[in-house]
Amino acid sequence: LLREEAEMAAKGLYDGGARTGRRRLEAGCDLSAQTRVWADDCGARTGAGATGQATSLIPEVKTLYEALRHGAKQGDASRECLGFRKEGKEWSWLSWEEVLNRVQAIAHGLPGARGGEGEAFPHVGIFSEQSLEATLIDQATCVHSRVSVHLYPDWSNETLAYAINKVGLKIVCCDTNDRLARLVALRSQCPGLSALVVMEQEIRDDVATVEGLKYSTLEQVEEVGDNPPHWHTAPKPTDL
């Protein structure tokens, strides 16, 4: 009985009726066909009940890129935008202006930006716990219509290498030197990987040991990106 309840709860159909006497909940769609193909040539899918392109409560805001910039225009750009807290310390805040400036610097400083020098990398891996820096990098990918790919720290090396190769990641940003070391150790299994960025202030000498990889700190990326020219190749809702 407990297993049956668990299975039904996982499907969103059951609220403990066997024990409480409450009725079974009905699904809002066919559970074997909850999504449908959006476009045959791209593999994207949408909800089975969707009748067209997703709508927005604010007509001029249809992407994350537009949402951040719309928010910045709703008042003084010096007001608080993004909060963070280092372990054992009080909350700190970046203003809307600071967030936009750092996002732009990261977007232009990351290797493979569209419209920049060299080959464009459409995907950016983020191998990190949730943090201020990871959020800024995630937002920065929108500036040049890139896609952020989150690689979870608790994954095994086998899973990590599979994901990197499956997506074809050329650049991965990580939060610590220890995770940077894991990526370096996987280089032979991930030959397409060419650039690694660490969010810590320095890269340890014992980590950057494999030739053929470009190593950078996030601070170095932002220093590069601070220099003009600055251009944006923003995403469109129809990109999906």
Side-chain angles (χ1 to χ4, degrees):
L1 179 61
L2 290 176
R3 179 174 179 178
E4 181 181 354
E5 287 184 18
E7 290 177 347
M8 296 180 75
K11 295 178 180 178
L13 297 179
Y14 203 72
D15 61 359
R19 294 179 177 275
T20 66
R22 289 179 290 182
R23 66 181 179 83
R24 178 186 176 189
L25 304 177
E26 296 298 329
C29 67
D30 180 357
L31 293 179
S32 64
Q34 298 181 48
T35 64
R36 60 181 176 81
V37 175
W38 176 263
D40 292 334
D41 58 344
C42 70
R45 303 185 70 86
T46 187
T51 56
Q53 185 173 304
T55 58
S56 169
L57 294 176
I58 304 172
E60 63 270 27
V61 177
K62 293 184 173 65
T63 65
L64 290 176
Y65 175 89
E66 294 170 343
L68 181 63
R69 284 146 190 84
H70 176 81
K73 296 176 182 177
Q74 302 313 299
D76 187 346
S78 65
R79 71 193 193 282
E80 295 175 346
C81 172
L82 183 60
F84 62 98
R85 182 175 64 179
K86 300 295 183 182
E87 186 174 353
K89 296 187 177 182
E90 297 296 322
W91 281 90
S92 299
W93 291 84
L94 293 184
S95 69
W96 285 89
E97 183 177 19
E98 289 172 325
V99 169
L100 286 173
N101 288 340
R102 291 194 65 181
V103 163
Q104 177 169 269
I106 293 170
H108 289 85
L110 284 174
R114 294 190 183 192
E117 297 181 359
E119 180 186 0
F121 304 159
H123 302 91
V124 176
I126 301 177
F127 184 37
S128 168
E129 301 284 354
Q130 185 58 265
S131 66
L132 166 70
E133 294 80 7
T135 301
L136 293 173
I137 293 169
D138 197 24
Q139 285 289 335
T141 61
C142 298
V143 173
H144 294 300
S145 301
R146 304 169 90 174
V147 178
S148 59
V149 179
H150 291 263
L151 308 169
Y152 296 98
D154 58 351
W155 282 356
S156 67
N157 286 344
E158 180 182 6
T159 302
L160 189 58
Y162 173 82
I164 291 171
N165 291 328
K166 183 69 174 179
V167 176
L169 285 173
K170 296 181 181 296
I171 178 173
V172 177
C173 305
C174 56
D175 52 354
T176 67
N177 272 272
D178 288 341
R179 293 199 174 101
L180 180 65
R182 287 183 63 186
L183 294 170
V184 172
L186 291 174
R187 178 63 166 80
S188 61
Q189 301 176 47
C190 306
L193 198 58
S194 62
L196 299 175
V197 177
V198 68
M199 301 172 201
E200 292 184 340
Q201 292 186 332
E202 295 182 352
I203 298 175
R204 296 200 317 256
D205 292 337
D206 63 315
V207 173
T209 56
V210 174
E211 295 183 1
L213 284 172
K214 179 179 180 180
Y215 303 93
S216 306
T217 64
L218 186 60
E219 183 178 357
Q220 291 170 333
V221 166
E222 292 187 63
E223 288 176 356
V224 171
D226 272 335
N227 298 317
H230 292 142
W231 69 98
H232 291 206
T233 49
K236 303 180 294 295
T238 53
D239 287 347
L240 291 177

